[in-house]
Amino acid sequence: MFLKEFSGFLLFTSYATASCLHGTSHLLRRTTPDGRVAVSKFGYTESEGPLHWAGLSTNNSACAMGTTQSPINIDSSIPTAIYAPKVSIPSVQSAEFENLGSTVEVVVNGTATFNGTNYALKQFHFHTPSEHRINEEYFPLEMHMVHQATDNSSRIAVLTALFQLSANGSTTDLITNVTKNLAEITTPGTVTETGPLDFTSLITKLTTTPLLQYTGSLTTPPCAEGVLFLIMRQPLPLNVATYNALKSVIKFNSRYTQNKPGQQNLLVLAAEDVKNIKALNGTRASK
């Protein structure tokens, strides 16, 4: 099932450039001759937005037809992970920091092991506002740490952190250092470097606090399913200045909340509603 969902990944790059898969073997990182990065060919507004992603490419059919789509509202039906992941991300003096048009992304190396599977960290990126909600509550910022299994399979795992604005000005230093040179990549396609990144505190949170676990999909085209999400239940603090700086560059990049895993795609339901309304209006007009 999982491999079937991912079998067409190498065919969709013209429409899914800079998706959540960026940097994995499914969608290799590409740069232009002048050192810029390729910019997304999908968006979050009007005809480029999530309601029309399936129409941008035949490879994006899961966006409209899939039944385990992400993001979701996380309620009591979503379990807490039984296992804690083992996570290693070496501290670095700087890392590549890119504006992909659809998000800003940091390229770092690391590893994670979960339930017997080893994964390699390919990149992490941000969504604002948060894509996932917990008991209907959304958060200002969400970070996706995208991992690919090291066993030559197509398995993707996304370690996810949510951020809440702090009342006392406290913040997560990692994000402060990530955004040190944010002003240099306000234009999509541009590249700069982060400040020094120390992942110690983040790793502690990921390995010692409760994680919510479910299997969903990529939250960008092609919306392929079979993606493991491990989401920190407790949000990390973020100060207002850092949040506003990120928001001013990222703008809005949150896919709408999907139906519960295993239930009918909301776009299918909407299409049925439109069909029923047209039929009803046709009946009325004939009277």
Side-chain angles (χ1 to χ4, degrees), residues 13 47 63 93 132 151 175 200 210 214 232-233 236 262:
T13 53
S47 60
C63 299
Q93 286 303 305
H132 288 91
D151 60 3
I175 307 304
T200 304
Y214 82 100
M232 290 174 53
R233 182 188 293 273
L236 300 175

Side-chain angles (χ1 to χ4, degrees), residues 121-176:
L121 174 61
K122 298 300 182 178
Q123 44 92 352
F124 63 88
H125 62 268
F126 299 92
H127 293 272
T128 179
S130 71
E131 296 201 297
H132 288 91
R133 291 185 282 159
I134 298 181
N135 295 322
E136 301 290 355
E137 180 182 1
Y138 74 90
F139 297 85
L141 189 70
E142 180 170 335
M143 181 171 74
H144 288 172
M145 308 182 74
V146 180
H147 295 71
Q148 182 177 356
T150 59
D151 60 3
N152 296 319
S153 73
S154 298
R155 285 179 288 182
I156 297 293
V158 182
L159 273 58
T160 300
L162 301 168
F163 294 84
Q164 183 66 281
L165 296 180
S166 58
N168 60 4
S170 62
T171 198
T172 301
D173 291 337
L174 174 67
I175 307 304
T176 303

Side-chain angles (χ1 to χ4, degrees), residues 220-231:
T220 62
C223 308
E225 299 182 333
V227 176
L228 170 66
F229 278 93
L230 295 171
I231 303 171

Side-chain angles (χ1 to χ4, degrees), residues 185-200:
I185 56 168
T186 57
T187 302
T190 52
V191 179
T192 187
E193 291 187 344
T194 67
L197 303 182
D198 184 344
F199 296 92
T200 304

Side-chain angles (χ1 to χ4, degrees), residues 235-246:
L236 300 175
L238 187 67
N239 64 23
V240 173
T242 303
Y243 169 63
N244 283 339
L246 273 167

